[in-house]
């Protein structure tokens, strides 16, 4: 029987195991799959803390229903009945401008009236179709956005999107790696607006795309799936999906099994989990590293220093989530009517944004309460992410007071820290991935599957898990490959 070891029981590792099991069942083949997870519970960054009637997401709060990889996994798992779409009353989303929350415009008339951009910036943005396409091999998002849209639109439209998705720095992130669709659109149509018109949506669609990336919503104010789809999650939080996946993979999952060594042997791979006399060794015909790139780097350091160096060079942004609950009765009228807000860097505030979680998914707070989640830190403010709780929490509360008018004492506070929170696909990332792929092609049976590489979202993880499973199956030669990178 072929033996497959997966290191890491986050969504990438669990979904890879599920896809492998599915493929094996379809062919009536026996595969021995082992997932080694360091922690005593599965899910990695995907975990919901259920306490006092609140559902506090430690990391992700959902996926877009327009991205079919995650949705496809849900359908194959048969969990459509557990899905929960963002509430239609959470349609409005805001960006901080000059210390005020300004609604993000979603239609051309709203865009023209909006105070989010100055008149000069709007005129510059409308000039976008006449800006020549760039020729750089790899350009930063900041440079690309300033070139096409002008510096003010970069600062107030693109910068918050990048904070919201990557907690990243647009001046360092690679446009081709992080926003490939916009790069392709420029290459194909010479302009984003012309491209959006060609794709039958025009400027509103482009704005909607940006809004959707920022907040997980389509344009038009409604909740129906726009080009960017609707944020979708699970009753009881994202942990619900993790529980279903963990049940499906069953005994394959070993918790509290930190992998400490990887060796290449004549028959394939030998994976050591645990330390000292408690180390258990797992032989593998195929090995999938579904753990963060820095962990893979350490595990491969002595045997494959060059590959290890490339993996270790992928940077991460630290991010800290500060969740706060309030009594609804203590809030000003309409204070949480919407999805949340994001703060552009030029506003010089110590939060990246605040999601109004219980407005988006009402089951996130008990009756009579609301739940907000502030994001702090990111690539540009790693110092804030590590600030002590007694600094961090008052700082967040002050921002909530200044921008939302909420001065009440919170009923619940929870701080979740991610030192290695979100991988940063900086300029050069795609070249690095090409070098990593070249190394892997010389190491048959070794595969990478994590959000460090080819997409940071849950949907990306679901896509990469399917591909990893296809590649493992192809490597083992038990059935034809169904996909490829
Ligand atoms: C604050 C925050 C908010 C986010 N919001 C969203 C969102 O709304 N929507 C979205 O799509 N995405 C979001 N993301 C991204 C999303 O969380 C990731 O795409 C996804 O969770 C990554 O899953 P993964 O399995 O690739 O990695 P991980 O979750 O990092 O899982 C890796 C696993 O490997 C294990 N591991 C590590 N070392 C070892 C070892 N030596 N041996 C064994 N196991 C090991 C870890 O314990 C972990 O369980 C967010 C991320 C953060 C941090």
């Amino acid at each position: 029987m072929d033996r497959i070891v997966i290191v890491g029981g986050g969504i990438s590792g669990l979904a890879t195991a599920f896809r492998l099991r599915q493929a094996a069942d379809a062919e009536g083949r026996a595969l021995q799959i082992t997932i080694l997870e360091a922690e005593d519970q599965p899910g990695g960054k995907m975990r919901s803390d259920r306490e006092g009637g609140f559902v506090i997401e430690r990391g992700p709060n959902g996926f877009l229903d327009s991205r079919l990889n995650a949705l496809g996994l849900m359908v194959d798992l048969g969990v459509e009945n557990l899905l929960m779409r963002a509430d239609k009353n959470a349609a409005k989303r805001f960006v901080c401008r000059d210390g005020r929350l300004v609604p993000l415009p979603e239609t051309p008339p709203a865009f023209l009236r909006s105070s989010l951009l100055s008149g000069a910036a709007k005129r510059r943005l409308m000039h976008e179709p006449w800006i020549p396409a760039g020729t750089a091999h790899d350009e930063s998002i900041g440079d690309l956005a300033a070139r096409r849209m002008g510096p003010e639109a970069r600062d107030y439209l693109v910068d918050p999107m990048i904070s919201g998705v990557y907690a990243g720095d647009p001046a360092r992130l690679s446009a081709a790696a992080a926003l490939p669709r916009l790069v392709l659109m420029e290459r194909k149509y010479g302009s984003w607006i012309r491209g959006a018109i060609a794709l039958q949506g025009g400027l509103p669609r482009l704005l909607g795309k940006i809004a959707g990336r920022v907040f997980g919503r389509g344009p038009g104010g409604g909740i129906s799936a726009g080009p960017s789809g609707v944020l979708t999650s699970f009753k009881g939080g994202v942990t619900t999906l993790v529980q279903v996946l963990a049940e499906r993979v069953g005994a394959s999952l070993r918790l509290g099994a930190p992998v400490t060594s990887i060796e290449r042997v004549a028959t394939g791979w030998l994976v050591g989990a645990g330390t000292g006399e408690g180390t258990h060794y797992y032989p593998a015909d195929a090995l999938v590293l579904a753990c963060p790139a820095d962990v893979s780097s350490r595990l491969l350091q002595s045997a494959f220093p060059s590959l290890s160096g490339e993996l270790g060079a992928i940077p991460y942004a630290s991010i800290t989530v500060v969740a706060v609950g309030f009594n609804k009765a203590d809030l000003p009228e309409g204070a949480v009517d919407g999805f949340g807000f994001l703060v552009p860097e030029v506003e010089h505030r110590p939060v990246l944004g605040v999601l109004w979680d219980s407005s988006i998914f009402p089951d996130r707070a008990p009756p009579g309460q609301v739940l907000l989640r502030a994001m702090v830190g990111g690539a540009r403010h790693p110092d804030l992410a590590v600030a002590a709780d007694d600094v961090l929490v008052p700082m967040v509360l002050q921002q909530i007071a200044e921008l939302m008018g909420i001065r009440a004492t919170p009923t619940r506070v929870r701080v979740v820290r991610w030192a290695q929170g979100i991988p940063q696909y900086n300029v050069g990332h795609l070249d690095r991935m090409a070098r990593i792929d070249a190394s892997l092609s010389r190491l048959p049976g070794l595969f990478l599957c994590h959000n460090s590489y080819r997409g940071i979202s849950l949907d990306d993880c679901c896509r990469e898990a399917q591909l990893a499973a296809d590649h493992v199956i192809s490597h083992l030669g038990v059935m034809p490959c169904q996909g490829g990178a």
Side-chain angles (χ1 to χ4, degrees):
M1 191 191 314
D2 289 305
R3 300 150 307 179
I4 301 156
V5 170
I6 299 171
V7 181
I11 179 76
S12 295
L14 292 172
T16 301
F18 172 71
R19 290 306 191 189
L20 281 167
R21 176 68 58 221
Q22 223 187 359
D25 289 350
E27 293 289 314
R29 306 290 297 249
L31 288 182
Q32 188 190 90
I33 303 168
T34 307
I35 310 171
L36 300 170
E37 165 54 47
E39 302 287 326
D40 57 9
Q41 37 184 320
K45 303 197 176 69
M46 201 168 168
R47 223 164 88 190
S48 326
D49 290 337
R50 297 165 180 164
E51 50 185 51
F54 289 93
V55 177
I56 299 174
E57 300 293 14
R58 298 174 66 84
N61 66 351
F63 64 93
L64 295 179
D65 70 352
S66 57
R67 308 283 308 276
L68 297 181
N69 301 292
L71 210 54
L73 178 66
M74 308 318 147
V75 170
D76 288 351
L77 284 166
V79 295
E80 298 98 310
N81 61 325
L82 298 176
L83 293 177
M84 208 176 172
R85 307 181 94 215
D87 194 276
K88 63 180 177 342
N89 295 319
K92 273 187 286 177
R93 47 268 196 193
F94 300 85
V95 172
C96 176
R97 166 120 211 191
D98 302 329
R100 284 186 318 112
L101 297 189
V102 178
L104 196 69
E106 292 178 348
T107 62
F111 171 71
L112 292 174
R113 283 194 309 270
S114 169
S115 58
L116 186 57
L117 295 183
S118 67
K122 287 175 194 165
R123 285 191 294 280
R124 170 63 181 82
L125 181 53
M126 300 310 289
H127 190 62
E128 192 270 345
W130 291 275
I131 302 292
T135 53
H137 164 63
D138 196 358
E139 188 178 22
S140 76
I141 290 175
D143 287 348
L144 171 67
R147 189 165 57 70
R148 297 226 62 84
M149 307 171 92
E152 198 177 318
R154 172 198 59 198
D155 291 346
Y156 282 96
L157 288 176
V158 175
D159 178 285
M161 169 185 82
I162 295 306
S163 283
V165 177
Y166 280 87
D169 179 355
R172 281 183 274 169
L173 283 169
S174 156
L179 295 176
R181 280 190 251 180
L182 288 182
V183 172
L184 289 176
M185 212 169 176
E186 186 193 34
R187 272 188 210 147
K188 181 160 183 198
Y189 299 99
S191 144
W192 291 342
I193 291 180
R194 265 189 275 142
I197 289 168
L199 298 171
Q200 296 177 342
L203 184 59
R205 196 169 171 103
L206 181 66
L207 288 174
K209 241 182 205 323
I210 291 173
R213 286 302 297 264
V214 175
F215 292 108
R217 279 304 183 80
I223 201 73
S224 64
S228 298
V230 177
L231 188 69
T232 301
S233 190
F234 301 87
K235 293 171 189 163
V238 294
T239 281
T240 300
L241 172 65
V242 173
Q243 286 165 342
V244 171
L245 273 169
E247 269 166 35
R248 291 301 168 87
V249 301
S252 302
L253 178 61
R254 309 275 159 85
L255 298 173
V259 170
T260 46
S261 68
I262 290 176
E263 220 185 306
R264 196 173 179 203
V265 291
T267 52
W269 299 88
L270 190 63
V271 181
T275 48
E277 292 196 348
T279 306
H280 191 94
Y281 289 95
Y282 298 84
D285 302 296
L287 170 60
V288 180
L289 298 180
C291 48
D294 61 309
V295 177
S296 296
S297 167
R298 282 196 296 280
L299 291 172
L300 297 171
Q301 198 164 19
S302 54
F304 309 105
S306 158
L307 173 59
S308 161
E310 295 288 2
L311 295 171
I314 297 174
Y316 284 78
S318 9
I319 186 160
T320 296
V321 180
V322 181
V324 281
F326 292 101
N327 273 320
K328 209 173 203 162
D330 295 342
L331 267 48
E333 180 80 27
V336 290
D337 288 353
F339 201 90
F341 68 86
L342 287 168
V343 181
E345 177 71 5
V346 287
E347 290 287 311
H348 303 297
R349 285 180 178 269
V351 292
L352 299 172
V354 178
L355 288 168
W356 304 345
D357 272 26
S358 57
S359 300
I360 307 167
F361 299 117
D363 81 337
R364 291 341 186 216
Q369 303 269 313
V370 300
L371 179 69
L372 313 181
R373 278 192 315 150
M375 305 291 161
V376 182
R380 287 184 292 205
H381 302 286
D383 49 322
L384 289 176
V386 295
D389 285 12
D390 59 356
V391 174
L392 202 59
V393 174
M395 191 173 78
V396 164
L397 290 176
Q398 188 184 338
Q399 295 303 310
I400 289 174
E402 286 177 17
L403 294 170
M404 299 177 66
I406 299 175
R407 294 188 166 75
T409 305
T411 54
R412 183 161 297 263
V413 175
R414 186 92 162 80
V415 177
V416 180
R417 295 171 188 278
W418 296 109
Q420 301 281 88
I422 302 191
Q424 301 292 294
Y425 301 167
N426 285 345
V427 171
H429 183 80
L430 293 181
D431 290 341
R432 171 165 292 116
M433 287 310 303
R435 292 192 294 273
I436 289 173
D437 285 344
S439 294
L440 288 173
S441 69
R442 296 187 288 273
L443 297 171
L446 179 65
F447 305 93
L448 298 174
C449 179
H450 187 262
N451 83 332
S452 304
Y453 309 113
R454 291 195 163 84
I456 64 157
S457 73
L458 297 180
D459 186 85
D460 294 317
C461 295
C462 296
R463 184 196 61 235
E464 291 300 303
Q466 176 71 69
L467 286 172
D470 290 345
H471 289 148
V472 168
I473 295 294
S474 172
H475 166 73
L476 296 174
V478 291
M479 57 192 88
C481 183
Q482 296 167 355

